[in-house]
């Protein structure tokens, strides 16, 4: 009943912010539909969905580049997001600024799915979460694992930290191959 009320309020022009626990942005939409929400109302009233995780940010004062000799694999969807920077993996060291922890703060790892007409049509026809995610990725959305990969390659966080919160085979293989110290 709460989901239906929120969707109707959104369809009438009210801004409704809601929290739904899911592993992806597309799964959050799927969960709303499982609450027996009207899929047409949802598709016409939804503006976007944010899926997020918090990860520890490497201390910029003491982070150290890994000395792995193997080339770093950079998927095409992420390469453009590096803005010409050379992909480099870093690991935590620890210093006085980060209280010897190697990390100095938390940073948001977002997956942002902004709605457009095509995604609205996908929701309206009750497509699966996998189909919705594929359509959103085709429209330019970076999946959570892709955003995480970019954070690792820019040195925002370590591959170990990302693997603690994101399940991705490419990032896990980077850690297993010993591309870190």
């Amino acid at each position: 009943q709460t989901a239906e009320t929120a969707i109707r309020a959104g369809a009438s022009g009210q801004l409704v912010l809601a929290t739904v626990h899911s592993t992806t942005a597309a799964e959050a939409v799927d969960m709303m539909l499982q609450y027996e929400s009207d899929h047409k109302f949802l598709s016409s009233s939804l503006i976007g969905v944010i899926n997020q995780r918090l990860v520890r940010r490497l201390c910029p004062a003491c982070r150290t580049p890994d000395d792995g000799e193997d080339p770093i694999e950079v998927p095409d969807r992420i390469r453009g997001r590096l803005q010409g920077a050379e992909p480099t993996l870093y690991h935590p060291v620890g210093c006085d600024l980060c209280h010897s922890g190697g990390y100095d703060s938390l940073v948001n790892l977002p997956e942002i799915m902004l709605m457009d007409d095509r995604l609205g049509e996908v929701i309206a026809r009750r497509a699966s979460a996998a189909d919705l995610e594929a359509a959103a990725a085709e429209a330019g959305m970076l999946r959570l694992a892709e955003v995480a990969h970019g954070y690792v390659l820019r040195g925002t966080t370590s591959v170990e930290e990302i693997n603690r919160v994101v399940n991705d085979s490419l990032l896990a293989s980077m850690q297993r191959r010993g591309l870190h110290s």
Side-chain angles (χ1 to χ4, degrees):
Q1 188 176 17
T2 303
E4 188 65 31
T5 302
I7 292 168
R8 288 192 181 276
S12 70
Q14 300 295 315
L15 177 62
V16 178
L17 303 174
T19 301
V20 177
H21 296 279
S22 66
T23 56
T24 68
E27 284 181 15
V29 174
D30 192 50
M31 288 183 74
M32 291 292 292
L33 293 173
Q34 288 178 17
Y35 292 134
E36 298 181 14
S37 304
D38 185 304
H39 59 284
K40 293 189 191 254
F41 270 135
L42 183 62
S43 68
S44 66
S45 62
L46 191 61
I47 297 170
V49 179
I50 300 173
N51 175 31
Q52 61 185 352
R53 303 286 185 281
L54 289 175
V55 294
R56 295 179 299 170
R57 184 180 81 145
L58 282 168
C59 176
C62 67
R63 70 180 186 177
T64 302
D66 288 341
D67 55 2
E69 295 181 16
D70 293 333
I72 299 172
E73 186 175 341
V74 182
D76 291 337
R77 287 177 48 87
I78 298 165
R79 185 172 303 284
R81 306 288 176 140
L82 295 178
Q83 301 170 337
E86 188 65 32
T88 305
L89 300 178
Y90 290 87
H91 65 272
V93 174
C95 67
D96 289 339
L97 291 174
C98 63
H99 306 287
S100 300
Y103 299 91
D104 71 343
S105 63
L106 296 175
V107 64
N108 184 30
L109 183 67
E111 175 184 62
I112 303 171
M113 181 171 56
L114 296 175
M115 298 306 296
D116 61 14
D117 291 340
R118 180 159 185 260
L119 295 180
E121 290 170 11
V122 172
I123 294 170
R125 69 176 202 287
R126 291 186 176 254
S128 69
D131 289 343
L132 178 58
E133 183 175 310
E138 189 176 299
M141 178 189 83
L142 287 182
R143 293 175 176 96
L144 191 65
E146 293 170 326
V147 175
H149 204 139
Y151 277 30
V152 167
L153 295 176
R154 284 193 306 267
T156 304
T157 193
S158 67
V159 69
E160 294 87 359
E161 173 66 5
I162 286 297
N163 282 323
R164 188 179 64 79
V165 296
V166 175
N167 182 15
D168 179 67
S169 60
L170 182 58
L171 290 164
S173 71
M174 288 171 74
Q175 188 171 353
R176 280 193 308 270
R177 286 189 338 204
L179 291 176
H180 63 286
S181 296

